């Protein structure tokens, strides 16, 4: 991954992100649309040239009182204007269609990469964690696909404008004499000199904007992340009455946003001050150059207007390139932001691919047993900083076993569960996972947004008999919810932590897994409910294998053996004496 991340070349990164769409199954539509947009763009430049030469013909006819020619040129203008309106509208339409198609394709692809092989989880474990993936998948992809169409097309239009008007200005220069001297291409040289001098000054004044644009994306993402955290932990904050402290922290986070904005405002003030003056002066330059020729009667008013229009078009094209393709773009449409977003998406995509590759070649090897038994051979579990949590673990959990994993806090109980689930990447050895259905119940069960029945059938979403669902809900003390199976509510906020844990037990009973892995799944319940949950579960699924993680001695009696982690990487696999456990 580091080698890929080290590749900072703009065009390399752009190719890496943009090319796959134009090679995908949608490539012919994409290439067709892009070609159409290019053709329409070239037509727009052609029409603009038509307008410029029209000025000459019309104003000269007006100056010479050639009535029929005046009306003929009015007709020509109408034809040009109609063509311009139709072609510009068609170009904008095609651009937006290409942008949304590309955005849909890229978003779908990145979501697939993010969700497959638990990459979203692995990314969090990475020391070089990718910040704000949500922002990258929503705003950044939108901006990237939008600008990846807009900027090259606008650049093409600007370059073709500069070249074609350059040719026109060259030919118009033949009519001009400066103090008795004819300079070939004089208008073109004056135009170029003016534009290049302006570009050079703006580049110098606006250089810091590149850095400021980059950093602005990051501080805004960080601020939004904090807002999401507050929303997620709203209840804890409310009960602790710590709204004031949180508000202070949020304001501190917002501070850098304002700070960067201020720095941008001042820098933009200098850049705008210069470019506005530059643009105003640009109106005068062609007049100063052409008025002597007019007074010498070598050109008419139409000639002055034609040359001014050509100047204007070329200066606008230069200004566009200056604003968007130098490192000082002051507007939204700027290559600096495009580049910053490209970098953010590139590092995200490289990171996703890196974790996908790692997931495909895990250090812990996995296979599936032919029976619902779990076998662990020579498993060593480590931490990202290479510390060893559990060494050389060998375990055979037979179908129907009920094993309790216990040990001091931080000894690696939950990490072992993660390794069994295949999501912990640091370690060595092999795990033979059980055949059949395995259900993991964590301390905070996930209740998807939507109807309650979806929380009861997650992750299988299988159809269930409502009468049976009602009976199971009653058996876990939640009979009152039986009438709300199809009601969509934010169940994870509406139900208490203990009720959510009971929903998870109901889910287990309804989905009838072969193996149930419970990680402190009764931590929010009192002892009576804890007993009820284990008894209901073992009665409903007498043949299921149960692996529990827990601290309380009250759950020992529901198990037949115990894996005790000592906290210094050692472990002991012991049988539980049922009489002793019941007495405890
Ligand atoms: N993503 C991570 N990055 C770094 N260290 C981690 C990560 N996840 C867990 N650890 C560390 O691994 C150790 C074991 O964590 P684990 O959650 O497995 O402990 P546990 O035995 O389940 O603890 P508890 O009983 O408190 O739940 C802890 O020291 C924890 O800080």
């Amino acid at each position: 991954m580091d080698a890929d991340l080290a590749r900072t070349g703009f065009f390399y990164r752009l190719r890496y992100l943009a090319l796959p769409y134009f090679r995908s199954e949608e490539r012919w539509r994409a290439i067709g649309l892009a070609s159409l947009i290019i053709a329409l763009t070239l037509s727009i430049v052609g029409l603009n040239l038509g307008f410029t030469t029209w000025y000459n013909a019309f104003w000269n006819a007006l100056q010479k009182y050639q009535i029929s020619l005046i009306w003929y040129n009015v007709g020509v203008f109408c034809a040009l204007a109609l063509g311009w309106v139709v072609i510009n509208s068609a170009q904008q339409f095609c651009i937006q269609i290409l942008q949304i198609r590309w955005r849909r394709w890229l978003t779908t692809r990145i979501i697939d990469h993010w969700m497959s092989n638990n990459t979203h989880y692995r990314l969090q474990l990475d020391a070089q964690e990718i910040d704000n993936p949500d922002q990258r998948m929503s705003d950044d992809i939108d901006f990237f696909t939008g600008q990846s169409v807009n900027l090259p097309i606008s650049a093409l239009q600007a370059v073709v404008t500069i070249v074609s008007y350059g040719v026109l200005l060259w030919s118009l220069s033949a009519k001009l004499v400066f103090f008795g001297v004819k300079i070939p291409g004089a208008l073109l040289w004056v135009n170029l000199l003016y534009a290049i001098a302006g570009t050079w000054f703006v580049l110098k004044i606006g250089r810091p904007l590149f850095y400021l644009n980059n950093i602005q994306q990051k501080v805004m993402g960080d601020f939004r992340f904090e807002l999401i955290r507050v929303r997620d932990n709203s209840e804890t904050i409310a009960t602790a009455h710590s709204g004031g402290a949180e508000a202070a922290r949020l304001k501190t986070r917002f501070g850098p946003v304002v700070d960067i904005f201020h720095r941008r405002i001042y820098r933009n003030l200098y850049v705008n001050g210069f470019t506005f003056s530059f643009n105003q002066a640009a109106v005068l330059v062609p007049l100063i150059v052409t008025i002597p020729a007019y007074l010498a009667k070598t050109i008419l008013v139409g000639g002055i207007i034609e040359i001014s229009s050509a100047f204007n078009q070329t200066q606008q094209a230069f200004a566009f390139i200056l604003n968007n393709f130098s490192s000082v773009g002051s507007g939204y449409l700027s290559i600096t932001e495009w580049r910053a977003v490209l970098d953010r998406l590139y590092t995200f995509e490289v990171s996703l691919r890196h974790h996908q590759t790692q997931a495909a070649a895990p250090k812990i090897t996995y296979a599936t047993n032919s029976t619902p038994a779990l076998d662990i051979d020579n498993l060593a579990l480590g931490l990202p900083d290479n510390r060893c949590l559990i060494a050389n673990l060998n375990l055979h959990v037979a179908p129907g076993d009920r094993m309790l994993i216990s040990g001091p806090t931080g000894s690696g109980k939950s990490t072992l569960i993660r390794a069994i689930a295949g999501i912990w990447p640091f370690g060595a050895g092999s795990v033979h996972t059980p055949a059949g259905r395995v259900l993991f119940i964590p301390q905070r069960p996930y209740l998807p947004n939507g109807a309650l029945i979806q929380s009861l059938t997650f992750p299988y979403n299988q159809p269930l008999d409502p009468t049976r669902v009602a009976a199971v809900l009653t058996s876990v003390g939640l009979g009152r919810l039986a009438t709300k199976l199809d009601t969509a509510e934010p169940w994870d906020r509406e139900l208490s932590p203990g009720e959510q844990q009971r929903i998870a037990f109901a889910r287990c009973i309804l989905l009838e897994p072969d193996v149930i892995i419970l990680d402190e799944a009764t931590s929010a319940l009192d002892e009576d409910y804890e007993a009820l949950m284990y008894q209901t579960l073992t009665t409903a699924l007498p043949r299921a294998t149960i692996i529990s993680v827990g601290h309380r001695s009250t759950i020992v009696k529901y198990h037949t053996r115990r894996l005790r982690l000592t906290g210094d990487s050692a472990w002991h696999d012991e049988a539980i004496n049922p009489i002793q456990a019941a007495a405890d």
Side-chain angles (χ1 to χ4, degrees), residues 258-278:
V258 177
D259 181 42
I260 295 294
F261 206 83
H262 268 130
R263 289 166 68 186
R264 277 185 55 148
I265 290 174
Y266 281 107
R267 193 44 64 174
N268 279 333
L269 180 70
Y270 307 143
V271 174
N272 287 340
F274 179 81
T275 44
F276 291 162
S277 325
F278 182 78

Side-chain angles (χ1 to χ4, degrees), residues 33-78:
L33 261 175
S35 311
L36 183 59
I37 293 168
I38 290 172
L40 291 168
T41 305
L42 296 179
S43 312
I44 290 170
V45 178
L47 281 173
N48 286 343
L49 270 171
F51 276 118
T52 301
T53 45
W54 176 86
Y55 283 127
N56 191 344
F58 178 73
W59 285 98
N60 286 350
L62 213 59
Q63 194 178 5
K64 292 181 194 163
Y65 296 95
Q66 295 167 320
I67 311 286
S68 58
L69 205 54
I70 291 171
W71 288 114
Y72 168 75
N73 276 299
V74 169
V76 171
F77 179 85
C78 292

Side-chain angles (χ1 to χ4, degrees), residues 215-228:
I215 209 157
Q216 178 170 311
Q217 297 282 334
K218 183 177 171 359
V219 293
M220 281 177 33
D222 288 348
F223 175 60
R224 199 168 54 181
F225 182 68
E226 284 298 331
L227 290 174
I228 294 170

Side-chain angles (χ1 to χ4, degrees), residues 405-443:
I405 303 175
S406 67
T409 177
S411 55
K413 302 180 293 294
S414 298
T415 308
L416 176 57
I417 296 293
R418 290 179 198 125
I420 295 171
I423 61 171
W424 189 253
F426 312 105
S430 66
V431 176
H432 287 78
T433 53
R437 195 173 262 194
V438 181
L439 205 65
F440 288 86
I441 304 290
Q443 192 171 4

